[in-house]
C-alpha cells in the first residue's frame, strides 16, 4: 500500500558516524544545504553505539518531526524503524552502510544525492515488521552460517563489504551445519541447515536475493532454508541466490507463515543475526509479525516524477 505524503518540512537525520567505513565529515553540511534550498529544516542526531534506542526515543518524545531519516546501514535503519514502530511519522533512508539491504528492497537510490530527493519527492508505504526472540527486525534475521560471519565481522576492526567476504571465506572452510526444529502455524520441519533466514524482506545488502517475490506488507513472512551442500554445489547455489532463483536449487526450501518457533535441539542459546546485529538468544526463538507497523518513504514511480 502506498500513499502520497504532505510536504515534509521538519526533518530529523539520524547519523551513524562509523557505518560502512564511509567518511561523513561533510554529510551534515550537504544535507543542511539540500534541505535549506528546498525550504526544509534539517535537524541531526548522532548515534554513539551505546543506548541509541533509548536516546533516540527520548529525542522523538521531546519534539515532533515530519519524517526521520536513517543515515547509515541496516543497523541504523533498524534502530530508527524500531523507534518509529506503530507511529505515523515515516522513516526515510540515506543508505550509508556496508550493505543497505532494506533500502534496496524499497527501491531507495544508493547514491546519497539521489536518495536525498526523498525529502521532497516521495510516497509513503506501510510495511510489516517482525519480532524475533522478542527483538525487533525490519529486514532479515538468520541463524547458522551468516549469523556466525556477522558476529566475527562485528568483532573485527574493519567494516565494509570486503571484510565480510574475507571472513565468510575463512569460516566456510571449517563450518559445521547444525540441526534445527522449525514449527510454524502451518507445518513442522526438522533437519540440518547451513543457514536459516527469517525474512520479512527479499534481499541482503550483498544483493543476495534470499526471499524472491515476497511482499513486505502481506502480513506473513518466510523462513528460507539452505540445507547442507557439497562444496561443488556452492557456485550453483550462489548463482541462484544472485539471480532471484532461490527455489530452483536442490538444497533450498521456503516455509511461509505468520508465526514460527525455531530451536536447535539440546542448545539453551542460539546465535541470531538480526538486521545486521549479532545476538545470543534463548532457544527456542519465537517469531511473530507486526502487521502494517512501519511507514517508510519510497521514491515516486518513474512516470510520476
Ligand atoms: N558512534 C558510534 N561508534 C561506534 N559504533 C557505533 C556508533 N554509532 C552506531 N554504532 C554501531 O553501528 C552499528 C550499526 O551500523 P550499521 O548497520 O548502520 O552500519 P554497517 O554495519 O556499516 O552497515 P550494514 O548494516 O548495511 O552492513 C551498531 O552496532 C551500532 O551500535
Amino acid at each position: 500500500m502506498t500513499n502520497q505524503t504532505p510536504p515534509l518540512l521538519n526533518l530529523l537525520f539520524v547519523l551513524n558516524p562509523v557505518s560502512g567505513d564511509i567518511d561523513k565529515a561533510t554529510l551534515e553540511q550537504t544535507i543542511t544545504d539540500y534541505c535549506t534550498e528546498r525550504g526544509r529544516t534539517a535537524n541531526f542526531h548522532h548515534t554513539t553505539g551505546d543506548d541509541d534506542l533509548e536516546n533516540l526515543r527520548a529525542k522523538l518524545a521531546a519534539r515532533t518531526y515530519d519524517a526521520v531519516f536513517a543515515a547509515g546501514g541496516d543497523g541504523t535503519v533498524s534502530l530508527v524503524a524500531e523507534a518509529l514502530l506503530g507511529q505515523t511519522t515515516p522513516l526515510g533512508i540515506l543508505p550509508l552502510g556496508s550493505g543497505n539491504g532494506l533500502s534496496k528492497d524499497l527501491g531507495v537510490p544508493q547514491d546519497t544525492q539521489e536518495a536525498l530527493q526523498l525529502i521532497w519527492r516521495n510516497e509513503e508505504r506501510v510495511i510489516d515488521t517482525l519480532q524475533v526472540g522478542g527483538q525487533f527486525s525490519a529486514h532479515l534475521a538468520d541463524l547458522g552460517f551468516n549469523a556466525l560471519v556477522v558476529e566475527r565481522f562485528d568483532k573485527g576492526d574493519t567494516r565494509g563489504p570486503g571484510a565480510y567476504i574475507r571472513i565468510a571465506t575463512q569460516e566456510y572452510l571449517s563450518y559445521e551445519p547444525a540441526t534445527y526444529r522449525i514449527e510454524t502455524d502451518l507445518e513442522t520441519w526438522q533437519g540440518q541447515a547451513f543457514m536459516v533466514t527469517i525474512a520479512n524482506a527479499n534481499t541482503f545488502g550483498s544483493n543476495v536475493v534470499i526471499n524472491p517475490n515476497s511482499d513486505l506488507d502481506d502480513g506473513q513472512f518466510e523462513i528460507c532454508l539452505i540445507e547442507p551442500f557439497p562444496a561443488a554445489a556452492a557456485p550453483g547455489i550462489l548463482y541462484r541466490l544472485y539471480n532471484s532463483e532461490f527455489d530452483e536449487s536442490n538444497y533450498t526450501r521456503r516455509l511461509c507463515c505468520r508465526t514460527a518457533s525455531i530451536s536447535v535441539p539440546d542448545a539453551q542459546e542460539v546465535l541470531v543475526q538480526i538486521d545486521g546485529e549479532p545476538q545470543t538468544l534463548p532457544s527456542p526463538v519465537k517469531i511473530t509479525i507486526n502487521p502494517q507497523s512501519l511507514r517508510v518513504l519510497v521514491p515516486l514511480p518513474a512516470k510520476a516524477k
Side-chain angles (χ1 to χ4, degrees):
M1 181 174 41
T2 54
N3 298 304
Q4 201 95 29
T5 59
L8 306 170
L9 300 177
N10 188 31
L11 307 170
L12 179 65
F13 292 84
V14 177
L15 260 55
N16 179 334
V18 301
S19 66
D21 221 5
I22 297 167
D23 180 9
K24 304 189 188 71
T26 57
L27 182 64
E28 248 183 73
Q29 195 58 51
T30 303
I31 293 172
T32 302
D33 292 347
Y34 193 93
C35 287
T36 306
E37 283 162 18
R38 289 161 183 83
R40 270 71 174 166
T41 305
N43 306 274
F44 295 94
H45 176 85
H46 293 254
T47 60
T48 63
D50 293 316
D51 303 323
D52 280 324
L53 183 60
E54 293 76 7
N55 292 338
L56 180 57
R57 281 187 168 144
K59 184 134 194 164
L60 296 177
R63 194 170 161 193
T64 305
Y65 299 94
D66 295 329
V68 182
F69 279 76
D74 283 324
T76 311
V77 171
S78 187
L79 164 78
V80 178
E82 185 169 9
L84 295 175
L85 191 67
Q87 300 188 17
T88 52
T89 310
L91 162 77
I93 304 177
L94 297 184
L96 287 162
S98 309
N100 312 308
L102 186 61
S103 68
K104 290 176 181 169
D105 278 329
L106 293 170
V108 172
Q110 298 301 296
D111 175 79
T112 304
Q113 284 291 334
E114 285 182 36
L116 271 171
Q117 289 193 12
L118 278 180
I119 71 167
W120 63 303
R121 289 177 178 166
N122 59 63
E123 59 186 15
E124 223 173 69
R125 194 171 160 196
V126 189
I127 65 170
D128 304 329
T129 59
L130 300 179
Q131 297 298 135
V132 177
Q135 308 291 309
F136 175 80
S137 172
H139 186 232
L140 296 167
D142 52 53
L143 297 84
F145 181 72
N146 186 53
L148 182 69
V149 176
V150 169
E151 189 203 36
R152 300 279 189 274
F153 176 87
D154 198 57
K155 286 186 180 151
D157 302 330
T158 325
R159 301 186 90 81
Y164 178 91
I165 292 167
R166 195 186 66 248
I167 295 167
T169 308
Q170 283 165 359
E171 293 298 332
Y172 173 72
L173 298 173
S174 59
Y175 186 68
E176 295 285 346
T179 297
Y180 299 88
R181 180 175 177 80
I182 303 174
E183 294 173 38
T184 77
D185 51 316
L186 298 175
E187 60 195 303
T188 297
W189 179 89
Q190 179 160 334
Q192 278 197 320
F194 178 75
M195 63 186 269
V196 176
T197 303
I198 302 150
N200 185 38
N202 309 114
T203 311
F204 279 110
S206 58
N207 295 326
V208 160
V209 186
I210 195 77
N211 189 26
N213 308 319
S214 70
D215 289 325
L216 279 154
D217 51 9
D218 58 2
Q220 49 194 6
F221 60 96
E222 286 74 31
I223 297 182
C224 312
L225 295 158
I226 301 180
E227 294 175 50
F229 53 85
I237 294 172
L238 268 179
Y239 176 85
R240 294 198 188 288
L241 291 178
Y242 278 105
N243 287 281
S244 298
E245 296 176 2
F246 181 89
D247 299 323
E248 308 304 317
S249 168
N250 292 333
Y251 302 99
T252 55
R253 71 175 71 215
R254 278 198 285 180
L255 316 178
C256 183
C257 52
R258 289 190 159 77
T259 60
S261 169
I262 304 178
S263 58
V264 175
D266 301 328
Q268 303 294 312
E269 296 183 322
V270 286
L271 178 64
V272 187
Q273 169 290 120
I274 303 179
D275 293 349
E277 305 295 318
Q279 316 221 13
T280 302
L281 299 178
S283 173
V285 177
K286 308 239 183 232
I287 304 125
T288 55
I289 195 153
N290 306 312
Q292 305 272 306
S293 51
L294 180 68
R295 292 173 181 272
V296 289
L297 297 174
V298 296
L300 291 172
K303 63 177 178 341
K305 282 184 182 169

